[in-house]
């Protein structure tokens, strides 16, 4: 089964610094998505990268995908205190549209 | 931006009672889902629903669970006889179909006592 595992589990940085989170998965995917969750709140879709794409940008977000290593990274540049949240990767398989979520990275950005 | 709306935001129920969690997906979306997140754990898939029937369900989604789209706008998750381990945040999600971008609701926190 697909399983997203993320590292680090927790990350603390200062405002203005970049934050990098990594995600690994086990089986073939159709796409990989990143979500953000503020404490006790819902999941907000950030960015989707398809299995045939290697890199994607959206504002201060940059996502890479390496299907040979079954891994992805999310880079948040010039972080802000408002970026403080948990970030999850989620994969969607080839023959299914259900999302398999990773364990998440808790990001704390200090002002 | 259109939203997926879930009600109630928090529900407390006695063990063994039935609960219905409600969701209003985005109006032109065709695929509907329920996920749950036990406190401190991963978000887990429960069920997907398309064209008025379940298209996929997880092992968690046993006979105690059911879903329904009764009136073309609401999408409900029913738990017939709640257990303590059903305590979790339940998320509804929908997508339009042409993309794999999901929109999640803000969740219902279910507490079984």
């Amino acid at each position: 089964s697909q399983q997203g595992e993320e590292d680090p589990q927790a990350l603390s940085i200062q405002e203005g610094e970049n934050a990098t989170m990594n995600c690994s998965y086990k089986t073939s995917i159709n796409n990989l998505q990143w979500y953000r969750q503020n404490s006790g709140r819902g999941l907000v879709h950030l960015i989707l990268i398809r299995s045939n794409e290697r890199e994607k940008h959206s504002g201060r977000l940059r996502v890479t995908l390496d299907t040979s290593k079954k891994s992805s990274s999310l880079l948040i540049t010039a972080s802000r205190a408002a970026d403080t949240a948990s970030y999850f990767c989620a994969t969607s398989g080839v023959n299914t549209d259900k999302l398999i979520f990773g364990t998440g990275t808790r990001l704390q950005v200090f002002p | 931006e259109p939203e997926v709306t879930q009600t109630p935001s928090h529900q407390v129920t006695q063990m063994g009672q039935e609960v219905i969690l409600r969701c209003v997906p985005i109006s032109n979306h065709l695929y509907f889902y329920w996920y749950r997140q036990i406190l401190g754990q991963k978000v887990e898939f429960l069920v997907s629903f398309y064209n008025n029937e379940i298209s996929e369900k997880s092992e968690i989604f046993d006979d105690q669970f059911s879903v329904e789209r009764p009136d073309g706008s609401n999408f409900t998750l029913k738990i017939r006889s709640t257990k303590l381990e059903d305590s979790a945040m339940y998320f509804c999600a929908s997508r339009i179909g042409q993309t794999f971008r999901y929109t999640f609701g803000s969740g219902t926190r279910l507490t079984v006592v």
Side-chain angles (χ1 to χ4, degrees):
Chain A
S1 62
Q2 299 172 344
Q3 272 191 320
E5 300 296 332
E6 292 170 73
D7 76 271
Q9 289 187 331
L11 180 62
S12 295
I13 58 174
Q14 295 284 347
E15 254 187 338
E17 294 181 339
N18 296 339
T20 300
M21 290 160 263
N22 303 295
C23 167
S24 63
Y25 57 92
K26 293 186 177 178
T27 60
S28 297
I29 62 170
N30 175 287
N31 64 80
L32 184 144
Q33 307 179 34
W34 286 88
Y35 287 83
R36 164 186 160 144
Q37 183 181 37
N38 286 70
S39 181
R41 299 287 195 86
L43 295 155
V44 176
H45 180 273
L46 295 176
I47 195 165
L48 179 153
I49 186 165
R50 299 184 191 283
S51 60
N52 61 354
E53 296 176 311
R54 292 295 166 258
E55 188 170 311
K56 204 159 182 182
H57 295 83
S58 176
R60 294 185 295 114
L61 305 180
R62 175 181 162 236
V63 169
T64 61
L65 179 65
D66 186 337
T67 52
S68 66
K69 294 181 180 177
K70 292 186 167 59
S71 67
S72 173
S73 68
L74 171 68
L75 168 68
I76 304 174
T77 60
S79 63
R80 306 165 183 167
D83 294 329
T84 294
S86 290
Y87 292 82
F88 295 90
C89 69
T91 54
S92 180
V94 173
N95 296 313
T96 172
D97 66 344
K98 72 181 180 189
L99 293 176
I100 305 294
F101 281 82
T103 49
T105 294
R106 292 186 309 279
L107 174 66
Q108 174 84 51
V109 182
F110 291 100
Chain B
E1 188 167 331
E3 291 183 343
V4 173
T5 304
Q6 289 187 245
T7 55
S9 57
H10 191 185
Q11 180 152 1
V12 181
T13 189
Q14 296 272 347
M15 192 168 55
Q17 293 295 305
E18 174 183 286
V19 295
I20 297 176
L21 309 183
R22 301 180 191 280
C23 169
V24 180
I26 295 173
S27 61
N28 62 341
H29 284 193
L30 301 176
Y31 296 81
F32 313 107
Y33 308 84
W34 284 99
Y35 288 79
R36 80 172 186 190
Q37 184 180 33
I38 295 172
L39 187 64
Q41 298 187 22
K42 288 186 183 186
V43 177
E44 302 172 290
F45 168 78
L46 292 179
V47 65
S48 58
F49 192 85
Y50 170 71
N51 201 24
N52 283 321
E53 60 182 29
I54 291 174
S55 46
E56 191 171 359
K57 60 183 181 180
S58 72
E59 292 175 354
I60 302 167
F61 195 89
D62 61 20
D63 292 344
Q64 292 299 312
F65 291 86
S66 62
V67 290
E68 197 175 40
R69 189 156 160 81
D71 56 12
S73 63
N74 291 285
F75 180 51
T76 61
L77 174 69
K78 182 193 290 186
I79 309 174
R80 288 192 184 82
S81 179
T82 50
K83 307 178 189 120
L84 294 176
E85 54 265 36
D86 293 327
S87 295
M89 182 76 94
Y90 287 81
F91 294 106
C92 173
S94 67
R95 69 180 179 95
I96 193 168
Q98 289 99 327
T99 77
F100 284 94
R101 176 177 171 162
Y102 297 71
T103 302
F104 280 81
S106 54
T108 293
R109 182 170 297 284
L110 176 66
T111 303
V112 182
V113 296

